[in-house]
Amino acid sequence: MPATMLIARALVVISCLLSGAGGVHRASQATRSAIAVTRRNTALGIASVPLVAEIWARWPINSTLLPPVPSLGGLRDAVILFGGMDFYDTPVTERTYSRFNTEERIRESDRAAGVRRLVHEYDWRSVLEHRGDKSFLATTDEYVRTSHGGQQIGRYVGRELAKAPGLRSLHVIGASVGAFPADACAAAYVNAKRGDPDRAHVRLTLLDPLILRGVFETGYGAANFGRTVDYAEAYLNTDDQVPSTNEELANAFTYNITGCAERRKFEGEDELHNNHAWPTAYFAYHYQTKVMKNGELVLPQHDAEHPRGGVVDVP
C-alpha cells in the first residue's frame, strides 16, 4: 500500500478518535470519556503556553551573574551602551564605511573634540544568552526573557551609576532589544536622583528598538521608551524583517532612515542583518561629539525642531 494511502487512513482514524464518531462505534463510554478529557487537557495546555511564557519572561534575574558597573574614575560624563542579542555581533561590511563599532566611534570622536568621559558597553547579554547553544529551547529562552530581563539588568546599572558623585551627563544607547536595558538604566538613574539638583543630564539613543515586551505588550516601547529622560532619540527603518522594530516612539524624536539615499552604500552579510543593523551603522558613522566654547559637552534638549513624538524622514 502506498505511503500516502497509509498516512491518509491514519489521519481518518485519528480524526474519528478525536471526534468520538465514525470508526469508533465499538468504543466504550469510558474510552470516549478518556478521549474527551485528553482533548480538553490538550486545549488547556496549548492555551496556557503564552501565560507560562509571560511568567517566565518576568522571572527574576540571578543578580550574582551581573557584571560590575565600571567606576567613573573621577570622570564627570559617561556613555553606556547596550547591544542587541546575537546578530548584533555579526560582522558587517560597508562599501564606503569602515567596519562600524559604535563604542570605538564615540571614543574617536571624543578624542578629536578633546573630551574625556567613560565609554563602556555593558555586557548584559552574558546573563541571558546561552552562548554556544543554538537549540530551539535555548534560543526561545533568550528571546522570551530579554525584554523583562533586560529591564531588570538596566535598572541595576542605572542605580549603580546614581551612586557615583559628580556625574554631569549620562548618554545611554541601546540597539534592537538592547533598548529595554537602555531605557530602564536611564529611568532608574533619574528615579534614584529624583530631587537631587546635581542629577546628570540624561540622553537616550535607541537604534531600531524592539518595542514588544514579554508576550502580550506589543506596543510597550513605542508608548514608554524615553519617558523619563531629558532627551530621547531613535533611529529606525520600517522595512526590516525583525518584528516589532518599525514604529516611531511617542516620547522620543525619531529619525526615519528607511528611504535614506545613503543606505545604498551600506551592505550587510544578508538581508536581515543588513536591514536591522542599518540604523546602528548610520548612527555610528554620523556620530559627532559636540562641545561648547568652554569645552563642555553640548547637552541636547527637546525643542520645537526636535519635539517628543516628532519624526523626520532622512532623505
Side-chain angles (χ1 to χ4, degrees):
M1 182 180 294
T4 52
M5 185 65 71
L6 285 172
I7 294 173
R9 290 193 177 184
L11 290 175
V12 170
V13 172
I14 292 171
S15 177
C16 290
L17 287 172
L18 292 176
S19 64
V24 292
H25 289 303
R26 290 175 294 179
S28 66
Q29 180 62 38
T31 301
R32 287 195 293 271
S33 297
I35 292 172
V37 170
T38 300
R39 292 174 64 193
R40 182 190 64 194
N41 291 342
T42 301
L44 288 173
I46 293 173
S48 67
V49 168
L51 180 59
V52 172
E54 182 69 20
I55 293 172
W56 179 238
R58 295 170 180 263
W59 203 260
I61 294 295
N62 183 350
S63 60
T64 63
L65 300 177
L66 295 173
V69 177
S71 169
L72 292 177
L75 298 175
R76 300 189 61 197
D77 305 283
V79 180
I80 304 296
L81 303 96
F82 295 89
M85 296 292 283
D86 189 28
F87 49 77
Y88 181 78
D89 290 327
T90 299
V92 177
T93 58
E94 299 152 272
R95 292 194 182 102
T96 61
Y97 307 148
S98 61
R99 184 171 166 181
F100 73 85
N101 181 303
T102 310
E103 185 178 5
E104 287 304 316
R105 179 71 186 92
I106 294 173
R107 285 201 180 104
E108 291 173 1
S109 188
D110 281 358
R111 285 193 292 268
V115 170
R116 295 182 65 249
R117 60 177 165 175
L118 172 70
V119 181
H120 176 75
E121 180 174 356
Y122 186 79
D123 187 19
W124 72 285
R125 293 167 295 173
S126 63
V127 181
L128 296 171
E129 280 186 334
H130 297 264
R131 293 181 174 176
D133 184 354
K134 297 302 178 183
S135 66
F136 173 78
L137 289 177
T139 303
T140 302
D141 179 57
E142 288 179 4
Y143 283 89
V144 165
R145 302 197 70 198
T146 49
S147 55
H148 284 287
Q151 286 183 314
Q152 293 177 49
I153 296 168
R155 292 186 195 107
Y156 161 75
V157 177
R159 288 192 292 264
E160 290 297 302
L161 289 170
K163 298 175 183 178
L167 187 62
R168 178 175 49 191
S169 72
L170 174 62
H171 186 182
V172 187
I173 301 172
S176 186
V177 74
F180 282 95
D183 178 73
C185 171
Y189 173 84
V190 171
N191 290 334
K193 301 290 284 187
R194 192 176 302 279
D196 187 341
D198 294 326
R199 174 178 75 80
H201 173 279
V202 181
R203 174 184 179 184
L204 178 67
T205 300
L206 302 179
L207 308 170
D208 219 27
L210 187 80
I211 63 172
L212 169 66
R213 185 170 77 160
V215 178
F216 302 109
E217 297 177 275
T218 55
Y220 176 88
N224 293 282
F225 285 158
R227 210 170 39 169
T228 63
V229 302
D230 298 295
Y231 185 78
E233 61 188 349
Y235 293 78
L236 60 80
N237 55 307
T238 60
D239 60 352
D240 65 75
Q241 298 173 344
V242 179
S244 299
T245 62
N246 302 324
E247 293 186 33
E248 295 89 0
L249 308 185
N251 299 293
F253 186 76
T254 300
Y255 295 89
N256 187 334
I257 57 174
T258 306
C260 178
E262 195 173 331
R263 186 175 180 178
R264 293 193 296 268
K265 304 173 183 177
F266 179 78
E267 180 183 45
E269 292 202 334
D270 59 46
E271 186 178 4
L272 175 63
H273 294 148
N274 179 13
N275 289 342
H276 192 46
W278 162 234
T280 300
Y282 180 91
F283 175 79
Y285 182 71
H286 287 278
Y287 183 83
Q288 183 178 5
T289 303
K290 297 180 180 180
V291 296
M292 298 181 289
K293 290 182 179 180
N294 62 2
E296 293 188 356
L297 287 166
V298 172
L299 305 178
Q301 300 284 348
H302 287 291
D303 53 27
E305 292 186 3
H306 302 89
R308 293 184 185 271
V311 182
V312 61
D313 294 324
V314 179

